[in-house]
């Protein structure tokens, strides 16, 4: 049910793991976590399904499994060489064991929803994946294959089992026995397909092959034998943002969306996150008159519109985010909001930024051009 024109789009799991489940099942590493998640999802379907039409099982499992079990940057902070020096962990095996349990937890929730709730509640259920668009660093066959391989270890790692019933061949060739195998019973469960794919799509980056030349493999893409960089021949792939590696590359939206649509045919796509980050310690005027965020959003929406005109099945677009909030390990030092939040005031005063005014005008079709001109003038003044 819509309230005030707002349609809930509910995420069941977004990184957090109750400590009790970490103790009982070793988090996502224990197969018993699947039953726990299925029960939790069922409670939510029964309690809120009359008001929720869109369910997302997991947000960015391909990202948080790497950060939790390969790089050791998020709790429970497991890792091993060359990715890090944690107190415990196996970076060659644990990310894939955790991912396998997440995929099967997703499948169990999808089956339950489709068999017991979807017909009477009229909703849909999907999953959200973090996606970068990988461009080859050079036009060599090696780097072209590296970009393709990086995408297998990023996007297809989760979506191929969900839609095709197995992991990508690139992953099997490299990981061998460290990549789990689906049993016949698990494959039956995977026959219940997701209704949509959510993509958290912010950026693009270059991919360099590390099979035929030496690289630093202790990085996010290292398990794919790929080194990712934002620079080619001294030129950056796009403008900087507050988050390292999140470059401004709006033209990457078109190939990314078309790639997903073509690979997972007949599955609608939502851009479930897209936005621009600023450091909090810049001046208040720059935070409020956020010319770069406005230009970022306009560029990404423009290229998304082109993809749709070229036949992409995109059903929705979400700006990250409505207002400044606590950004994980960055805390309050990074701001993504359309609304500025003054965290130093008791009432947390909220002020619409220039980007909020532009986005409101864009959505309503009123006076968007004037704000765009204002932003362009601001960009010229900054340069």
């Amino acid at each position: 049910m819509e309230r005030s024109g707002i349609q809930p789009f509910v995420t069941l799991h977004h990184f957090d793991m109750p400590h009790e489940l970490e103790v009982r099942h070793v988090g996502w590493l224990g197969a018993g976590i699947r039953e726990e998640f299925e029960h939790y999802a069922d409670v939510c379907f029964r309690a809120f399904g009359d008001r929720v039409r869109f369910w997302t099982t997991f947000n960015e499992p391909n990202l948080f499994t790497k950060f939790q079990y390969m790089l050791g940057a998020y709790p429970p902070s497991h890792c091993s060489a060359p990715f890090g020096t944690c107190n415990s962990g196996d970076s060659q095996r644990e990310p894939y064991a955790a991912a396998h349990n997440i995929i099967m937890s997703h499948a169990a929730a999808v089956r339950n929803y489709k068999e017991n709730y979807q017909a009477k509640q009229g909703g849909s259920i999907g999953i959200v994946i973090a996606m970068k668009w990988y461009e080859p660093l050079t036009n060599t066959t090696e780097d072209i294959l590296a970009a393709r391989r990086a995408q297998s270890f990023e996007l297809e790692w989760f979506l191929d089992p969900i839609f095709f019933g197995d992991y990508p061949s690139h992953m099997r060739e490299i990981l061998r026995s460290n990549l789990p195998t689906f049993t016949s019973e698990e494959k039956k469960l995977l026959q219940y397909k997701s209704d949509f794919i959510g993509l958290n799509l912010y950026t693009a980056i270059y991919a360099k092959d590390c099979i035929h030349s030496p690289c630093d493999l202790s990085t996010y893409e290292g398990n794919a034998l790929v080194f990712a960089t934002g620079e080619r021949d001294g030129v950056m792939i796009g403008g900087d943002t507050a988050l390292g590696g999140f470059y401004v590359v709006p033209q990457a939206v078109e190939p990314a969306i078309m790639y997903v649509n073509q690979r997972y045919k007949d599955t609608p796509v939502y851009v479930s996150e897209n936005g621009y980050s600023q450091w909090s310690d810049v001046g208040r005027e720059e935070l409020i008159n956020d010319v770069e965020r406005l230009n970022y959003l306009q560029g990404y929406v423009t290229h998304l519109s082109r993809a749709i005109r070229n036949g992409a099945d995109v059903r929705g677009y979400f700006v990250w985010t409505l207002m400044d909030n606590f950004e994980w390990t960055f805390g309050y030092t990074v701001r993504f909001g359309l609304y500025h939040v003054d965290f130093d005031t008791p009432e947390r005063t909220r002020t619409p930024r220039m980007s909020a005014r532009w986005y409101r005008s864009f959505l309503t079709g009123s006076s968007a051009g004037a704000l765009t001109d204002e932003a362009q003038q601001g960009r010229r003044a900054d340069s």
Side-chain angles (χ1 to χ4, degrees), residues 16 26 30 45 53 67 69 88 94 110 115-116 129 132 160 173 196 276 281 296 300 321 325 331 343 347 355 357:
D16 291 342
V26 200
F45 298 152
R53 295 292 176 268
F67 275 72
Y69 298 104
S88 62
E94 287 188 352
V110 170
E115 287 186 349
N116 300 310
I129 300 296
K132 297 175 187 174
D160 272 22
E173 290 167 7
F196 63 86
Y276 180 89
D281 59 1
Y296 176 101
Y300 276 76
T321 182
N325 61 15
F343 296 113
E347 61 274 17
S355 59
R357 291 157 46 212

Short mmCIF file of all heavy atoms in Angstrom, two decimals, residues 16 26 30 45 53 67 69 88 94 110 115-116 129 132 160 173 196 276 281 296 300 321 325 331 343 347 355 357:
data_model
loop_
_atom_site.label_atom_id
_atom_site.label_comp_id
_atom_site.label_asym_id
_atom_site.label_seq_id
_atom_site.Cartn_x
_atom_site.Cartn_y
_atom_site.Cartn_z
N ASP A 16 24.60 -6.44 8.00
CA ASP A 16 24.63 -6.73 9.44
C ASP A 16 24.33 -8.21 9.72
O ASP A 16 23.44 -8.80 9.12
CB ASP A 16 23.61 -5.88 10.20
CG ASP A 16 23.99 -4.41 10.22
OD1 ASP A 16 25.17 -4.12 9.98
OD2 ASP A 16 23.13 -3.57 10.49
N VAL A 26 28.83 -19.58 12.81
CA VAL A 26 30.03 -18.94 12.24
C VAL A 26 29.60 -18.02 11.10
O VAL A 26 30.22 -17.97 10.03
CB VAL A 26 31.08 -19.97 11.76
CG1 VAL A 26 32.45 -19.30 11.65
CG2 VAL A 26 31.14 -21.16 12.66
N GLY A 30 28.51 -21.11 7.96
CA GLY A 30 27.83 -22.34 8.35
C GLY A 30 26.54 -22.55 7.59
O GLY A 30 25.74 -21.63 7.44
N PHE A 45 7.60 -11.60 5.47
CA PHE A 45 6.54 -11.74 4.47
C PHE A 45 5.16 -11.74 5.13
O PHE A 45 4.22 -11.09 4.65
CB PHE A 45 6.72 -13.02 3.66
CG PHE A 45 8.00 -13.11 2.87
CD1 PHE A 45 8.57 -14.35 2.59
CD2 PHE A 45 8.64 -11.97 2.41
CE1 PHE A 45 9.74 -14.45 1.86
CE2 PHE A 45 9.81 -12.05 1.68
CZ PHE A 45 10.37 -13.30 1.41
N ARG A 53 5.39 -4.45 -1.74
CA ARG A 53 5.26 -5.09 -3.06
C ARG A 53 6.61 -5.45 -3.66
O ARG A 53 6.68 -6.16 -4.65
CB ARG A 53 4.51 -4.15 -4.02
CG ARG A 53 3.07 -3.89 -3.62
CD ARG A 53 2.22 -5.14 -3.74
NE ARG A 53 0.86 -4.91 -3.27
CZ ARG A 53 0.45 -5.15 -2.04
NH1 ARG A 53 1.29 -5.63 -1.12
NH2 ARG A 53 -0.80 -4.93 -1.67
N PHE A 67 34.64 -8.11 1.50
CA PHE A 67 35.14 -7.26 2.57
C PHE A 67 35.18 -8.00 3.91
O PHE A 67 36.02 -7.70 4.76
CB PHE A 67 34.28 -5.99 2.68
CG PHE A 67 34.71 -4.91 1.75
CD1 PHE A 67 34.49 -5.00 0.38
CD2 PHE A 67 35.34 -3.77 2.22
CE1 PHE A 67 34.90 -4.02 -0.49
CE2 PHE A 67 35.75 -2.77 1.36
CZ PHE A 67 35.53 -2.88 0.00
N TYR A 69 35.29 -11.60 4.29
CA TYR A 69 35.99 -12.88 4.31
C TYR A 69 37.23 -12.96 3.41
O TYR A 69 37.95 -13.95 3.47
CB TYR A 69 35.03 -14.00 3.92
CG TYR A 69 33.87 -14.17 4.87
CD1 TYR A 69 32.60 -13.72 4.54
CD2 TYR A 69 34.06 -14.75 6.12
CE1 TYR A 69 31.53 -13.86 5.42
CE2 TYR A 69 33.01 -14.89 7.02
CZ TYR A 69 31.75 -14.45 6.66
OH TYR A 69 30.70 -14.59 7.54
N SER A 88 42.27 -14.64 11.84
CA SER A 88 41.79 -15.92 11.32
C SER A 88 41.23 -15.70 9.92
O SER A 88 40.99 -14.57 9.51
CB SER A 88 40.71 -16.52 12.23
OG SER A 88 39.58 -15.67 12.27
N GLU A 94 37.01 -18.97 2.06
CA GLU A 94 35.86 -18.53 2.83
C GLU A 94 34.90 -17.60 2.08
O GLU A 94 33.68 -17.73 2.26
CB GLU A 94 36.33 -17.86 4.13
CG GLU A 94 36.85 -18.85 5.14
CD GLU A 94 37.13 -18.23 6.49
OE1 GLU A 94 37.06 -16.98 6.62
OE2 GLU A 94 37.41 -18.99 7.43
N VAL A 110 13.14 -17.03 -1.84
CA VAL A 110 12.40 -16.84 -3.09
C VAL A 110 11.37 -17.96 -3.26
O VAL A 110 10.21 -17.71 -3.62
CB VAL A 110 13.36 -16.78 -4.30
CG1 VAL A 110 12.58 -16.84 -5.62
CG2 VAL A 110 14.20 -15.51 -4.25
N GLU A 115 5.83 -19.62 -3.48
CA GLU A 115 4.87 -20.70 -3.22
C GLU A 115 3.76 -20.28 -2.25
O GLU A 115 2.62 -20.74 -2.38
CB GLU A 115 5.61 -21.91 -2.64
CG GLU A 115 6.44 -22.66 -3.65
CD GLU A 115 7.04 -23.93 -3.06
OE1 GLU A 115 6.96 -24.11 -1.82
OE2 GLU A 115 7.57 -24.75 -3.83
N ASN A 116 4.07 -19.40 -1.31
CA ASN A 116 3.13 -19.15 -0.22
C ASN A 116 2.59 -17.73 -0.11
O ASN A 116 1.60 -17.51 0.60
CB ASN A 116 3.80 -19.52 1.11
CG ASN A 116 4.20 -20.98 1.17
OD1 ASN A 116 3.40 -21.87 0.88
ND2 ASN A 116 5.46 -21.24 1.51
N ILE A 129 22.86 -6.36 -6.51
CA ILE A 129 24.28 -6.65 -6.68
C ILE A 129 25.05 -5.35 -6.91
O ILE A 129 24.57 -4.46 -7.63
CB ILE A 129 24.50 -7.59 -7.89
CG1 ILE A 129 23.74 -8.90 -7.69
CG2 ILE A 129 25.97 -7.83 -8.14
CD1 ILE A 129 24.23 -9.73 -6.53
N LYS A 132 30.47 -2.67 -10.89
CA LYS A 132 31.34 -1.74 -11.59
C LYS A 132 31.32 -2.14 -13.07
O LYS A 132 31.16 -3.32 -13.39
CB LYS A 132 32.78 -1.83 -11.11
CG LYS A 132 33.03 -1.47 -9.66
CD LYS A 132 34.50 -1.73 -9.34
CE LYS A 132 34.77 -1.55 -7.87
NZ LYS A 132 36.17 -1.94 -7.51
N ASP A 160 24.74 -15.66 -11.95
CA ASP A 160 24.72 -16.87 -12.78
C ASP A 160 24.11 -18.06 -12.04
O ASP A 160 23.25 -18.77 -12.61
CB ASP A 160 26.14 -17.21 -13.26
CG ASP A 160 26.46 -16.52 -14.58
OD1 ASP A 160 25.81 -15.50 -14.90
OD2 ASP A 160 27.39 -16.97 -15.28
N GLU A 173 37.56 -22.22 -13.43
CA GLU A 173 38.90 -22.45 -13.99
C GLU A 173 39.98 -21.95 -13.04
O GLU A 173 41.04 -22.58 -12.90
CB GLU A 173 39.02 -21.75 -15.34
CG GLU A 173 38.19 -22.38 -16.44
CD GLU A 173 38.08 -21.49 -17.66
OE1 GLU A 173 38.78 -20.44 -17.68
OE2 GLU A 173 37.32 -21.81 -18.59
N PHE A 196 13.44 -9.75 -10.35
CA PHE A 196 14.15 -8.58 -10.84
C PHE A 196 15.59 -8.60 -10.32
O PHE A 196 15.92 -9.34 -9.39
CB PHE A 196 13.47 -7.28 -10.42
CG PHE A 196 13.42 -7.05 -8.92
CD1 PHE A 196 14.48 -6.46 -8.24
CD2 PHE A 196 12.30 -7.44 -8.19
CE1 PHE A 196 14.43 -6.27 -6.88
CE2 PHE A 196 12.24 -7.25 -6.81
CZ PHE A 196 13.31 -6.66 -6.15
N TYR A 276 26.56 10.50 -5.55
CA TYR A 276 27.85 11.20 -5.53
C TYR A 276 28.24 11.52 -4.09
O TYR A 276 27.43 12.03 -3.31
CB TYR A 276 27.74 12.50 -6.33
CG TYR A 276 28.99 13.32 -6.39
CD1 TYR A 276 29.93 13.12 -7.41
CD2 TYR A 276 29.24 14.31 -5.45
CE1 TYR A 276 31.08 13.88 -7.48
CE2 TYR A 276 30.41 15.07 -5.51
CZ TYR A 276 31.31 14.85 -6.52
OH TYR A 276 32.46 15.60 -6.59
N ASP A 281 34.27 17.73 5.38
CA ASP A 281 35.05 18.85 5.89
C ASP A 281 35.23 19.99 4.89
O ASP A 281 35.98 20.93 5.15
CB ASP A 281 36.42 18.37 6.38
CG ASP A 281 37.24 17.69 5.29
OD1 ASP A 281 36.76 17.60 4.14
OD2 ASP A 281 38.36 17.23 5.61
N TYR A 296 26.65 15.11 -11.75
CA TYR A 296 26.76 13.65 -11.71
C TYR A 296 25.41 13.01 -11.98
O TYR A 296 25.27 12.14 -12.86
CB TYR A 296 27.30 13.24 -10.34
CG TYR A 296 27.40 11.75 -10.10
CD1 TYR A 296 28.63 11.09 -10.20
CD2 TYR A 296 26.29 10.99 -9.74
CE1 TYR A 296 28.73 9.72 -9.96
CE2 TYR A 296 26.39 9.63 -9.50
CZ TYR A 296 27.61 9.00 -9.61
OH TYR A 296 27.70 7.65 -9.37
N TYR A 300 24.30 10.70 -15.26
CA TYR A 300 23.92 9.30 -15.14
C TYR A 300 22.48 9.07 -15.59
O TYR A 300 22.19 8.07 -16.26
CB TYR A 300 24.13 8.81 -13.70
CG TYR A 300 25.56 8.39 -13.42
CD1 TYR A 300 26.57 9.33 -13.24
CD2 TYR A 300 25.92 7.05 -13.36
CE1 TYR A 300 27.88 8.96 -12.99
CE2 TYR A 300 27.23 6.66 -13.12
CZ TYR A 300 28.21 7.63 -12.94
OH TYR A 300 29.51 7.24 -12.70
N THR A 321 21.81 9.30 -1.63
CA THR A 321 20.67 8.91 -0.84
C THR A 321 19.85 10.16 -0.55
O THR A 321 20.27 11.27 -0.86
CB THR A 321 21.11 8.18 0.44
OG1 THR A 321 19.99 7.77 1.18
CG2 THR A 321 22.02 9.05 1.28
N ASN A 325 23.88 10.40 5.96
CA ASN A 325 23.70 9.43 7.02
C ASN A 325 25.03 8.85 7.45
O ASN A 325 26.09 9.35 7.07
CB ASN A 325 22.70 8.33 6.59
CG ASN A 325 23.19 7.57 5.37
OD1 ASN A 325 24.35 7.64 4.99
ND2 ASN A 325 22.29 6.83 4.74
N GLY A 331 31.68 6.55 8.55
CA GLY A 331 30.91 7.31 9.53
C GLY A 331 30.24 8.52 8.92
O GLY A 331 29.61 8.44 7.86
N PHE A 343 24.78 17.58 11.63
CA PHE A 343 24.88 16.63 12.73
C PHE A 343 25.27 17.30 14.05
O PHE A 343 25.23 16.66 15.10
CB PHE A 343 25.90 15.53 12.40
CG PHE A 343 25.49 14.68 11.22
CD1 PHE A 343 26.20 14.72 10.03
CD2 PHE A 343 24.39 13.84 11.30
CE1 PHE A 343 25.83 13.94 8.95
CE2 PHE A 343 24.01 13.05 10.22
CZ PHE A 343 24.73 13.11 9.04
N GLU A 347 18.52 18.91 16.63
CA GLU A 347 17.40 18.51 15.77
C GLU A 347 17.87 17.96 14.43
O GLU A 347 17.05 17.59 13.58
CB GLU A 347 16.46 19.69 15.54
CG GLU A 347 17.08 20.90 14.84
CD GLU A 347 17.77 21.85 15.80
OE1 GLU A 347 18.06 21.45 16.94
OE2 GLU A 347 18.01 23.01 15.40
N SER A 355 21.21 19.93 -5.64
CA SER A 355 20.86 18.68 -6.33
C SER A 355 19.44 18.24 -6.01
O SER A 355 18.74 17.68 -6.87
CB SER A 355 21.86 17.58 -5.95
OG SER A 355 21.86 17.36 -4.55
N ARG A 357 16.92 20.23 -5.34
CA ARG A 357 16.02 21.10 -6.12
C ARG A 357 15.99 20.67 -7.58
O ARG A 357 14.94 20.63 -8.22
CB ARG A 357 16.47 22.55 -5.98
CG ARG A 357 16.25 23.10 -4.56
CD ARG A 357 17.16 24.27 -4.23
NE ARG A 357 17.23 25.27 -5.30
CZ ARG A 357 18.30 26.01 -5.56
NH1 ARG A 357 19.40 25.84 -4.84
NH2 ARG A 357 18.27 26.89 -6.52
#
